[in-house]
Amino acid sequence: MESDEAAWQPRHILIDDYFSKFRDWGSNTGASSRALDHALRKASRLQETTKDLLQDLRTTLHTTRDSLQDAAVLPISPAPRTIDYFSLQSDGVEQQVSSRASSDSDTSLQQLTGDIEETVDCLIKLTPTLQDPAPQDMYKRHASHSEANMDIDLATKMFPKATRLLTNRLGFANWKRRQYLQSLKPQGHDRVPSKQKVKENERRESNLGFYSRSNVTRPGYRTGAFSSHVTATSPATSDAGPPSINDTIFSRSNYFSERSVPTTVESDQLVMWNRYDVPKPPVMLGSGSTFDCPYCGQEIIFGIQIASHDDWTDHVIMDLEPYLCTFDDCLRADKTFSSREDWFQHELDNHRLRKVWFCRSCAHEFDEREDIELHLSEKHKSTVSSGHLSTLVSLCERYSENTAPNQSCPLCGCSTAAPGELKQHIGDHLEQLALSAIQSNDGLEKDFMSPCFDDTASKNRAKFVNEFVEEQRGYFWQPTQQPHDDGTADSNVAFAEDSDDEGFGQNVKRFEVKAEPASRSRSRRPPMQRRGDSWMTKVKTFLEKQSTDQTDGDLWMTKVETFLENQSMQGDPPMESEVNSPGPNVTSQIPNLVRPLHPFRTKPPPRNEDFIGRDGDLARLHKTLSTPGKTCVLSGAGGMGKTGAAIEYTYRYEETYSFIFWISAETSISCADTYSLIATQLIVTEDDTAHDQDRLITLGREFLEQTEKRWLLVFDNANAWSDIQEFLPTDLLKSNGSILITTRKSDLRSSAPFFKCHVIELGALTLEESRRLLLLSMQPSLDRKELALHPEYKLAGEIAVLAERLPLALAHIAGYVQVSKCTLTDFVQLWNERRRHTRGPSQMANPLTLSTDRALETVWNIGLREVTIDARELLNILAFLDSETIQRKLLVGEHEEPSLDFLHSDQAFRYKRMITELSRRRLISVKNQAGDEILSIHRLLQQKILQDLDKDAQKREEVFAQAFELVRKRFPLPSPIQVPEPEKWPACKEYLPHVLNLQKVVMDFLPSISPSVRLARLLSDGGINLWERGMTSEGLRLLRSAEAVLDKLKCDESQLRANIHVIIALLMQDYSLSHIEESKDRIWKALQIRKDHMNQTDPEYYTRNHNILLHNAWSDYGCVLLQYNKYQEAEPIFRQCLAKYREWGSEAEIPYEYYKFNHHTAFCRLYHKDFDEAIKLAKEGLRCITLATGQSSATNKTRFDLACIILQSGDIQGALDLHKEVLESNLRQHGKFSFLTLQSYYAVGAVSAYSGALIDAERWMRKALSLERSRKGSWPEAAAARTEFHLSQILTEQGKDLDEAQQLTSQARSVLAKVLPLDPLDGVEAGDELALFDHLQPVFDGRFTGRTILRYVSRRS
């Protein structure tokens, strides 16, 4: 095989890929555990199809193995042959035969590889159906719905007050239940036990609270928040009134043995029924007892699946799936639930909870949206503007908190006001009907046959499975909502028509179809793990009947079997998608009807398997976030473990969500970067060229707004609300998501206008939690149940008190004790010594100040002094870098500096020893991310180290120089002529957080650090790269910091200053007139620097790059002149630049430069009202920019400007058509909140108004304003003011909403009065006030969407 290794390598990669997909399929469907067996127990046809595919895969793998072995024989051990006359004559023939054999072998392997791919793809296509299969088995060859009449009659007699449709549904479900139980008998199971009479107190009492079977509180509703206008049925009541819940036999507290009681209270007839109870297990329960469950056919091992009779009761109830929706108009009428909580949550969410609109000022609820709109308009007219009305109404929407009238049981007519009692009562009814199926089946046929599946026409397996998948989808897909039948046998009672997808197909949105919320998508059995050898045998039959002798070449079968063996021992593993993202747009490719076993995650932090405590905080957190539309802020002092608690929440309650998106929110760069993963991993395809970050953010936000699946968005370590506001859905209350924010800022909530946040303040751990954390961190092997017997248990509590019960402090203490090999007694002595040594006068005066900070200070004073020299040097460097993502490749390299010798790539063992020590001491964390080793350090520890370094000026400078050199080596240099270089962005993005952290340290924490030109240049380089990506605020911060460093140095460095001036000026130009003066001043300064450099430099050393920078500055200055309407001064400058462009090359060589000339000069001709020439030049500019950048945002901006010039020429329809095309393109490229998109919305509205289409114009402008108001800061103030003023004119012209028009005019004029004095426009006629608003806009981005502005500005010289 070695000779063919290169040829086999591509297939080797393919096989690895198929194996990875097969492993994901096993995790997603439950095939890797016992879950799939249980899920398919009522879908035998699907089960057989899956088995057939797995058997085909096994056969193909064995055939591939044999082919590989045969192909390897010749090159490994060639057989000797005798040299004679015949062999010499036949050499040519043998070579041909060998070549043909090699070709045949290659073709065979290629075919087998294709077969593997085909089979795995077929299995993947079945995934949605396998995750929640329809219970389609009829269990009899000729089963008929009429056979359910006996069970329907039974349901009617048991529940005479239920509607006919409901009793039909219950009866048919019970008949199917009987058929299933009967079908288990031929499989070798014992006879199903008969019904048993209950014995008093034999079955445990259930909790009468909301969630009697769950240890986890899931507060998806509130007590009394029931809908008062929706009822399940309309039962007749007697004159005496409805009976009480507590008066009926189905309240478990009233069950008595050997007693017949009425099912309901009736005035003229009592229907008597015996109370059914769960049968006892078929064997005596005891340690090690094993038996097959007669109700599901699964192997039960006492002590693993069940540990008590109560567990057996729950197991049987889950097998019977007794719960169904009791509302006649339910779209999931025949869905059976195995969990009482899932069933009642379904009824609450879809039928019982009442949605209202609540006015907080008046404390009044409104049932209809129109009512609260009228209320706000009339009662709060002075504070609520019509433009904000729609947003405020949306914020008022919620579930009612008022106590609703009593609700009746749909089965017996009893009433109650307590949801918990109602759930308990109706659930007991349904359990009793289900338990009636566990009895002798003497009246039923004995020769039931399970359905079989005959694949006699499967020559084309892929085609067959595709058809089969479509057939399976048919059980879920409901293209239109059909009215329910009035109770006939052929209504909606066929289990094969059941769907977990409520309303599936009704409201298909952009990214995916509507799916059931993840927290209640389906009932989930407890994990059935560690079953023993018998279950492993059953699982392996999915791949082979009996394993044959394996050889070393049996690589892939060994991998598959090893994987299955690991699953049997470890249970459900994390999905591969938690580490590696799936293919693009996964939610739109397949109608995934149910949530996968694990949520899809982006950038998931690893779970801390030793996490201890916070149970109450996590339960409160889940109580808030379990309801869609909620936001919770997790705040607390440093070291409280906010991030750790958030990580634990995402894993402990992961079943609630289909998507969990982790966002690193400490810096805007990391926030935008991690948020973009939503789009790159779920939406954007590999061939999609629109990878602009703004576009990715918009796509991610739209996904959150449109998906019907449950999602959780976690912003970790947010510093300000403004940093994360851009990433929030427009209307969170209407989404199906929840938001969790961790922050040290206790006032973060107050900075969230119109946004309701719940705040959980994390405090210290309890004393017991602190003990456990400390002892288990020191000795993970300790038995948690025996901790109280530990000899240092009491002392651990004393240390926890000293450490203020801070998780961070306790972790570091454990690390210190582990590495130092000291006892806790020794540590207490060290603690007391350090406290006495470090206590100063200020602390003595106020010992309560910052006690948590003092505890951490003492811990670090003890621990850091024993860190080895190398490890401490590395720790010092880490304090200057971004705390979350410190790459190994940033630290280790071919360093030539003596101070970095200990991090040289030749010193690998030395580096490993440092990392091992620091991680064992819990001072850093180490993780693997995309194949690279990533270090992280707590931000408080960074601050402690920086404070220590600030006491030693020499050491501080040395360490800063080390950190600076590491970052400078990795961060790429920008273009010398300031041309965007997008290919460098990946490297910039990776190391930019370190540049930002250096800037923060120098400007905020340690201003005493000596400045340098190299530092200024690094900060400038970071700002230039951010400018290229359109990240204005961050870019300005770095550029201004670079400027501050140069000012502090008091040095010339004119070229660097000129670069900074130019980029800041360009960043300012999009802010209308409010920053145009600073932009002009900076461009002029840069131009003077470039000119002086040219005059002072020897021509021999004055390069072409210097000349390009000079003329770029001239061109930029000409653009600034146009902002002041000084077109006569600007035009000669552009023509002067054109002469240089022609010296440098042709249009084909430097198209961008020719674009600038044509585009800018077109506006000069526009000012001259030379429309034909202006349009010609603008079209030439469009051709050049398309040649230079393709279909980019620059191309769209040029088309926008061309449309404005066409409008000025008088061609209104031509301008409108082009503006609409630009709007569509901007929406595709940048999303609806982009500055360019909002400008296009206004432009289309304005030109529509000029054409007389006032209704369309109003619609477009309202759209622009609604987007701007939902995302403040996305549009300059002057642009929004113009839109408000123009909309007020349109409303006035239509004679509608005059009060709103007056308010819009007032708002717009206030902005005009503030900005217009910066550059007044004289001579504007009365009644043409809109021209003044047009004058406020940038010349290239919307000034000429007005029809009259040209007459005023063209007169300027």
Side-chain angles (χ1 to χ4, degrees):
M1 282 276 299
E2 283 130 346
S3 62
D4 293 327
E5 183 175 357
W8 170 246
Q9 185 64 22
R11 293 196 188 92
H12 186 283
I13 296 173
L14 287 174
I15 292 295
D16 276 335
D17 181 59
Y18 304 151
F19 175 70
S20 177
K21 290 180 179 179
F22 179 71
R23 183 173 57 183
D24 287 347
W25 174 85
S27 297
N28 289 337
T29 61
S32 57
S33 64
R34 193 74 176 270
L36 187 59
D37 293 42
H38 184 269
L40 297 180
R41 70 192 190 281
K42 296 181 181 179
S44 58
R45 184 180 179 189
L46 179 59
Q47 184 184 70
E48 291 300 320
T49 301
T50 307
K51 285 184 177 181
D52 288 345
L53 288 171
L54 290 170
Q55 181 62 35
D56 286 349
L57 180 59
R58 173 190 174 277
T59 302
T60 306
L61 289 173
H62 276 292
T63 304
T64 305
R65 176 200 60 191
D66 296 339
S67 298
L68 290 174
Q69 290 173 339
D70 293 339
V73 170
L74 183 59
I76 293 176
S77 56
R81 62 192 180 110
T82 304
I83 305 299
D84 56 18
Y85 174 81
F86 296 102
S87 64
L88 293 174
Q89 294 296 320
S90 60
D91 275 348
V93 176
E94 286 197 9
Q95 289 175 1
Q96 294 177 11
V97 172
S98 176
S99 175
R100 190 180 303 115
S102 176
S103 176
D104 292 343
S105 175
D106 187 76
T107 302
S108 175
L109 289 174
Q110 183 177 1
Q111 179 63 41
L112 290 170
T113 305
D115 290 345
I116 294 172
E117 177 185 17
E118 183 182 4
T119 307
V120 173
D121 287 343
C122 289
L123 288 169
I124 292 174
K125 289 179 181 180
L126 282 175
T127 297
T129 306
L130 292 172
Q131 287 177 326
D132 199 298
Q136 54 188 291
D137 286 354
M138 297 300 292
Y139 309 108
K140 288 181 63 177
R141 186 180 297 275
H142 304 295
S144 170
H145 289 182
S146 62
E147 296 179 7
N149 289 339
M150 182 184 72
D151 289 276
I152 293 174
D153 291 340
L154 175 64
T156 303
K157 291 177 181 178
M158 290 183 70
F159 313 120
K161 291 198 174 184
T163 63
R164 182 184 178 188
L165 183 60
L166 181 55
T167 54
N168 280 356
R169 182 191 308 165
L170 294 171
F172 190 84
N174 214 43
W175 174 70
K176 293 274 289 185
R177 193 175 290 118
R178 290 180 189 273
Q179 304 309 307
Y180 172 67
L181 294 175
Q182 181 69 18
S183 71
L184 295 178
K185 292 182 179 181
Q187 299 178 19
H189 300 294
D190 295 333
R191 183 176 183 273
V192 177
S194 303
K195 62 181 180 180
Q196 299 179 6
K197 300 292 184 66
V198 68
K199 296 180 181 180
E200 187 170 3
N201 298 325
E202 180 175 302
R203 188 177 179 191
R204 76 173 194 271
E205 298 294 334
S206 296
N207 185 354
L208 291 180
F210 279 128
Y211 301 102
S212 60
R213 294 184 188 275
S214 176
N215 293 326
V216 179
T217 302
R218 289 175 44 199
Y221 50 88
R222 298 183 55 155
T223 304
F226 275 30
S227 173
S228 60
H229 59 276
V230 179
T231 56
T233 59
S234 300
T237 58
S238 66
D239 295 337
S244 167
I245 287 286
N246 294 325
D247 295 334
T248 66
I249 64 119
F250 292 106
S251 297
R252 291 181 184 171
S253 58
N254 290 333
Y255 288 163
F256 295 98
S257 61
E258 304 297 339
R259 176 180 174 184
S260 298
V261 286
T263 62
T264 184
V265 178
E266 298 190 28
S267 58
D268 55 353
Q269 183 181 7
L270 294 179
V271 181
M272 313 297 291
W273 293 100
N274 290 326
R275 159 84 166 94
Y276 299 120
D277 201 75
V278 174
K280 295 180 179 179
V283 300
M284 292 294 294
L285 296 182
S287 177
S289 59
T290 302
F291 62 93
D292 286 345
C293 175
Y295 312 115
C296 66
Q298 304 295 330
E299 182 187 46
I300 302 296
I301 302 176
F302 183 79
I304 296 181
Q305 282 75 48
I306 61 174
S308 66
H309 284 276
D310 291 342
D311 291 343
W312 167 250
T313 297
D314 288 340
H315 177 88
V316 173
I317 291 298
M318 294 184 75
D319 283 341
L320 294 178
E321 296 183 1
Y323 310 106
L324 292 90
C325 183
T326 57
F327 285 78
D328 288 352
D329 58 349
C330 182
L331 296 176
R332 301 171 58 205
D334 297 329
K335 168 62 183 173
T336 56
F337 298 87
S338 62
S339 163
R340 184 178 290 197
E341 286 67 50
D342 289 347
W343 154 70
F344 199 65
Q345 188 72 42
H346 160 79
E347 291 203 349
L348 285 172
D349 290 346
N350 296 283
H351 307 291
R352 296 185 183 276
L353 287 178
R354 186 165 61 97
K355 186 174 290 186
V356 297
W357 287 262
F358 181 70
C359 176
R360 292 181 176 84
S361 300
C362 304
H364 184 73
E365 291 183 350
F366 297 88
D367 291 331
E368 303 295 336
R369 183 184 181 95
E370 292 76 9
D371 294 339
I372 194 171
E373 287 179 348
L374 181 62
H375 170 79
L376 293 175
S377 301
E378 294 179 353
K379 301 296 183 181
H380 305 283
K381 181 178 180 180
S382 59
T383 57
V384 179
S385 66
S386 57
H388 296 86
L389 182 61
S390 177
T391 302
L392 290 177
V393 168
S394 300
L395 294 174
C396 294
E397 186 177 356
R398 72 178 194 184
Y399 287 115
S400 175
E401 295 184 356
N402 292 334
T403 302
N406 290 356
Q407 292 205 7
S408 300
C409 170
L411 302 176
C412 69
C414 297
S415 62
T416 182
E421 293 181 4
L422 188 66
K423 179 188 73 169
Q424 179 78 18
H425 174 80
I426 301 175
D428 287 343
H429 277 314
L430 299 175
E431 286 183 5
Q432 283 297 293
L433 179 62
L435 288 169
S436 71
I438 306 179
Q439 55 181 303
S440 60
N441 293 288
D442 296 337
L444 301 176
E445 297 181 45
K446 304 297 184 181
D447 57 344
F448 288 178
M449 297 184 63
S450 298
C452 60
F453 181 75
D454 184 13
D455 182 16
T456 59
S458 59
K459 292 182 179 179
N460 190 336
R461 183 168 62 250
K463 178 180 178 181
F464 164 76
V465 174
N466 283 332
E467 293 173 353
F468 183 80
V469 170
E470 294 303 319
E471 177 186 345
Q472 294 297 316
R473 289 179 184 172
Y475 293 125
F476 296 93
W477 185 263
Q478 303 292 335
T480 57
Q481 182 176 344
Q482 300 294 335
H484 285 283
D485 193 76
D486 59 356
T488 61
D490 294 327
S491 64
N492 60 344
V493 293
F495 264 37
E497 298 172 358
D498 176 34
S499 170
D500 268 2
D501 188 12
E502 186 173 8
F504 183 64
Q506 305 292 327
N507 299 303
V508 179
K509 295 195 175 183
R510 175 174 180 183
F511 294 104
E512 59 185 298
V513 297
K514 180 176 181 181
E516 179 72 1
S519 60
R520 49 191 179 273
S521 60
R522 59 176 172 149
S523 301
R524 293 175 179 81
R525 294 182 61 86
M528 305 181 71
Q529 303 169 1
R530 297 181 293 275
R531 306 286 179 153
D533 295 337
S534 59
W535 106 261
M536 266 304 300
T537 302
K538 294 178 182 179
V539 172
K540 283 192 176 182
T541 59
F542 273 65
L543 293 177
E544 58 182 342
K545 294 179 181 179
Q546 183 64 37
S547 177
T548 57
D549 293 337
Q550 296 192 4
T551 63
D552 293 339
D554 194 5
L555 175 62
W556 311 116
M557 274 303 300
T558 303
K559 282 188 176 182
V560 172
E561 292 177 355
T562 301
F563 170 71
L564 285 173
E565 290 170 357
N566 290 336
Q567 301 313 307
S568 69
M569 299 175 62
Q570 300 174 4
D572 294 337
M575 285 180 60
E576 188 73 14
S577 60
E578 296 182 20
V579 181
N580 300 320
S581 66
N585 206 2
V586 294
T587 56
S588 62
Q589 298 295 326
I590 300 175
N592 193 8
L593 303 180
V594 295
R595 192 186 65 76
L597 298 178
H598 298 277
F600 173 80
R601 298 171 180 262
T602 58
K603 201 175 183 180
R607 184 177 192 177
N608 179 9
E609 299 297 338
D610 298 322
F611 184 87
I612 292 175
R614 301 294 187 198
D615 293 337
D617 293 321
L618 293 176
R620 283 195 298 148
L621 184 59
H622 188 61
K623 182 178 181 180
T624 299
L625 296 180
S626 60
T627 301
K630 295 295 183 69
T631 298
C632 191
V633 176
L634 198 62
S635 63
M640 286 296 176
K642 299 176 291 295
T643 297
I647 293 172
E648 176 64 18
Y649 174 80
T650 66
Y651 286 99
R652 184 176 299 188
Y653 296 98
E654 67 175 4
E655 290 187 356
T656 304
Y657 307 100
S658 294
F659 302 100
I660 297 179
F661 305 114
W662 187 273
I663 311 299
S664 300
E666 185 173 7
T667 66
S668 55
I669 303 298
S670 61
C671 195
D673 186 28
T674 50
Y675 190 90
S676 299
L677 295 177
I678 300 175
T680 56
Q681 296 189 11
L682 288 177
I683 304 166
V684 177
T685 57
E686 293 181 359
D687 57 349
D688 191 344
T689 57
H691 281 74
D692 178 79
Q693 191 164 62
D694 288 340
R695 172 61 173 159
L696 295 176
I697 292 172
T698 299
L699 287 174
R701 188 168 51 234
E702 290 177 351
F703 175 83
L704 299 181
E705 293 169 351
Q706 297 180 21
T707 181
E708 294 295 338
K709 293 185 178 180
R710 285 289 278 121
W711 53 264
L712 175 67
L713 192 62
V714 184
F715 290 98
D716 182 41
N717 197 37
N719 291 312
W721 187 263
S722 57
D723 292 342
I724 64 176
Q725 185 176 7
E726 175 188 2
F727 309 102
L728 303 178
T730 304
D731 193 342
L732 179 63
L733 291 177
K734 291 185 178 179
S735 73
N736 205 25
S738 303
I739 296 176
L740 171 59
I741 304 169
T742 69
T743 180
R744 294 182 63 188
K745 308 290 185 180
S746 58
D747 59 344
L748 183 72
R749 177 184 182 183
S750 61
S751 60
F754 304 106
F755 206 90
K756 184 177 180 181
C757 298
H758 300 263
V759 177
I760 295 179
E761 185 80 17
L762 280 189
L765 296 174
T766 67
L767 184 59
E768 180 59 27
E769 291 172 344
S770 302
R771 279 196 185 103
R772 293 170 57 203
L773 175 60
L774 180 57
L775 292 174
L776 290 173
S777 296
M778 292 165 46
Q779 297 175 272
S781 61
L782 288 176
D783 186 348
R784 299 194 176 202
K785 297 180 181 179
E786 304 294 334
L787 284 181
L789 303 178
H790 193 279
E792 294 184 309
Y793 178 78
K794 182 179 180 181
L795 191 57
E798 296 176 4
I799 293 178
V801 172
L802 292 175
E804 301 291 342
R805 307 196 307 277
L806 284 177
L808 180 62
L810 293 170
H812 286 173
I813 291 173
Y816 175 84
V817 172
Q818 270 189 316
V819 176
S820 301
K821 306 296 183 182
C822 70
T823 64
L824 291 184
T825 302
D826 297 334
F827 183 82
V828 171
Q829 294 177 353
L830 287 171
W831 179 282
N832 293 330
E833 292 174 4
R834 297 304 300 175
R835 267 296 172 90
R836 286 193 297 269
H837 180 72
T838 58
R839 184 173 296 176
S842 61
Q843 293 176 340
M844 292 294 291
N846 188 3
L848 298 180
T849 303
L850 300 176
S851 60
T852 56
D853 290 346
R854 290 175 54 211
L856 286 170
E857 176 82 9
T858 304
V859 171
W860 288 329
N861 284 337
I862 294 172
L864 292 179
R865 66 177 183 174
E866 293 192 10
V867 175
T868 59
I869 296 176
D870 279 354
R872 184 57 195 264
E873 286 291 320
L874 177 59
L875 202 60
N876 289 340
I877 293 175
L878 300 185
F880 285 91
L881 304 176
D882 178 64
S883 62
E884 293 295 328
T885 53
I886 305 172
Q887 304 89 344
R888 182 184 187 277
K889 59 185 178 183
L890 171 71
L891 301 172
V892 179
E894 301 291 331
H895 304 305
E896 298 179 357
E897 299 82 0
S899 62
L900 296 176
D901 182 65
F902 73 111
L903 293 175
H904 196 279
S905 54
D906 291 340
Q907 304 285 337
F909 180 75
R910 188 177 179 184
Y911 173 81
K912 182 178 180 180
R913 188 168 52 190
M914 288 185 281
I915 297 302
T916 301
E917 178 185 355
L918 293 176
S919 60
R920 288 184 62 197
R921 290 184 180 274
R922 315 294 174 90
L923 298 174
I924 65 170
S925 298
V926 184
K927 62 182 178 181
N928 188 282
Q929 182 175 303
D932 190 19
E933 183 180 84
I934 302 296
L935 311 183
S936 60
I937 178 174
H938 200 280
R939 290 171 290 275
L940 288 180
L941 180 55
Q942 282 186 310
Q943 294 178 22
K944 157 68 176 173
I945 296 171
L946 291 176
Q947 290 171 3
D948 289 345
L949 288 173
D950 201 29
K951 301 173 184 176
D952 185 342
Q954 181 178 352
K955 186 65 175 178
R956 177 192 63 217
E957 298 295 334
E958 290 175 358
V959 177
F960 177 77
Q962 290 173 309
F964 174 84
E965 289 297 336
L966 292 174
V967 177
R968 177 71 276 183
K969 289 178 180 181
R970 290 291 183 177
F971 196 77
L973 297 172
S975 165
I977 57 174
Q978 297 182 324
V979 174
E981 296 178 311
E983 66 276 5
K984 292 183 179 179
W985 176 244
C988 292
K989 181 175 65 174
E990 187 172 8
Y991 299 107
L992 197 53
H994 302 303
V995 177
L996 290 170
N997 204 70
L998 288 175
Q999 181 269 340
K1000 184 168 61 175
V1001 169
V1002 172
M1003 306 305 294
D1004 299 334
F1005 291 114
L1006 298 179
S1008 55
I1009 288 180
S1010 302
S1012 66
V1013 174
R1014 295 185 68 216
L1015 173 61
R1017 196 175 301 279
L1018 175 64
L1019 299 178
S1020 172
D1021 293 348
I1024 292 174
N1025 279 285
L1026 290 172
W1027 159 69
E1028 293 179 7
R1029 302 297 297 181
M1031 306 179 77
T1032 304
S1033 59
E1034 298 82 3
L1036 281 174
R1037 186 168 81 243
L1038 284 177
L1039 290 166
R1040 293 190 188 279
S1041 296
E1043 202 169 40
V1045 171
L1046 292 177
D1047 291 341
K1048 193 174 181 179
L1049 285 171
K1050 297 180 181 180
C1051 65
D1052 184 14
E1053 288 299 324
S1054 56
Q1055 293 302 309
L1056 179 56
R1057 283 188 181 274
N1059 292 341
I1060 295 173
H1061 283 318
V1062 169
I1063 302 302
I1064 291 180
L1066 293 177
L1067 288 170
M1068 292 293 181
Q1069 284 189 12
D1070 288 338
Y1071 284 90
S1072 68
L1073 294 180
S1074 57
H1075 293 85
I1076 193 63
E1077 190 63 32
E1078 180 182 358
S1079 177
K1080 176 186 175 183
D1081 180 61
R1082 286 185 175 276
I1083 288 292
W1084 178 254
K1085 289 180 179 178
L1087 179 59
Q1088 296 308 311
I1089 292 174
R1090 306 291 195 213
K1091 290 167 62 178
D1092 291 343
H1093 180 67
M1094 180 188 66
N1095 295 331
Q1096 298 169 8
T1097 303
D1098 190 317
E1100 182 180 353
Y1101 300 102
Y1102 191 76
T1103 66
R1104 175 177 169 175
N1105 284 349
H1106 293 143
N1107 208 0
I1108 291 176
L1109 290 173
L1110 172 63
H1111 286 83
N1112 282 345
W1114 272 115
S1115 180
D1116 293 335
Y1117 184 69
C1119 292
V1120 172
L1121 292 175
L1122 284 183
Q1123 299 292 346
Y1124 287 94
N1125 300 308
K1126 297 182 178 181
Y1127 57 93
Q1128 293 177 339
E1129 299 178 35
E1131 188 169 6
I1133 293 176
F1134 298 141
R1135 297 195 179 279
Q1136 173 188 343
C1137 291
L1138 175 62
K1140 282 294 179 182
Y1141 299 156
R1142 287 172 175 167
E1143 292 180 13
W1144 299 339
S1146 64
E1147 286 185 359
E1149 294 173 314
I1150 49 173
Y1152 190 79
E1153 275 64 28
Y1154 283 92
Y1155 147 73
K1156 290 191 293 184
F1157 166 76
N1158 287 307
H1159 175 262
H1160 303 343
T1161 309
F1163 276 90
C1164 295
R1165 301 321 302 164
L1166 174 64
Y1167 277 99
H1168 286 289
K1169 298 183 181 179
D1170 186 356
F1171 300 119
D1172 291 341
E1173 183 65 16
I1175 293 174
K1176 177 183 176 182
L1177 288 168
K1179 289 182 177 180
E1180 279 296 305
L1182 178 59
R1183 183 180 62 82
C1184 291
I1185 192 63
T1186 305
L1187 181 62
T1189 66
Q1191 297 299 321
S1192 63
S1193 59
T1195 306
N1196 278 341
K1197 292 180 70 173
T1198 308
R1199 294 169 68 203
F1200 180 94
D1201 290 339
L1202 173 59
C1204 291
I1205 295 174
I1206 292 175
L1207 174 66
Q1208 300 304 316
S1209 73
D1211 185 0
I1212 296 178
Q1213 188 59 47
L1216 180 60
D1217 293 341
L1218 186 53
H1219 271 308
K1220 286 183 177 180
E1221 292 178 10
V1222 174
L1223 173 58
E1224 292 178 2
S1225 183
N1226 280 333
L1227 282 170
R1228 287 194 303 270
Q1229 286 195 17
H1230 306 291
K1232 58 187 177 182
F1233 292 103
S1234 166
F1235 165 82
L1236 299 176
T1237 304
L1238 294 176
Q1239 288 289 71
S1240 287
Y1241 271 124
Y1242 171 77
V1244 173
V1247 181
S1248 296
Y1250 303 146
S1251 68
L1254 298 182
I1255 295 178
D1256 288 345
E1258 178 187 351
R1259 176 169 59 89
W1260 290 114
M1261 291 190 183
R1262 286 193 183 279
K1263 179 67 173 178
L1265 288 174
S1266 67
L1267 292 172
E1268 186 273 335
R1269 288 163 181 166
S1270 65
R1271 191 76 65 214
K1272 283 295 184 182
S1274 56
W1275 212 11
E1277 187 180 33
R1282 176 174 66 170
T1283 308
E1284 290 174 338
F1285 185 81
H1286 203 163
L1287 177 59
S1288 71
Q1289 289 188 322
I1290 294 171
L1291 294 175
T1292 302
E1293 189 172 349
Q1294 296 180 88
K1296 60 184 289 189
D1297 299 331
L1298 298 182
D1299 290 341
E1300 179 188 3
Q1302 184 177 0
Q1303 185 175 5
L1304 289 171
T1305 300
S1306 177
Q1307 293 172 185
R1309 283 174 175 166
S1310 65
V1311 177
L1312 182 67
K1314 180 174 60 175
V1315 181
L1316 187 61
L1318 298 175
D1319 184 26
L1321 182 63
D1322 301 325
V1324 177
E1325 299 173 1
D1328 197 7
E1329 193 173 357
L1330 182 60
L1332 295 175
F1333 287 94
D1334 290 330
H1335 175 61
L1336 300 182
Q1337 315 308 316
V1339 66
F1340 296 146
D1341 292 310
R1343 179 175 298 177
F1344 291 103
T1345 50
R1347 294 192 65 191
T1348 61
I1349 181 65
L1350 185 59
R1351 76 174 68 160
Y1352 305 115
V1353 298
S1354 64
R1355 298 182 304 208
R1356 283 192 169 193
S1357 174

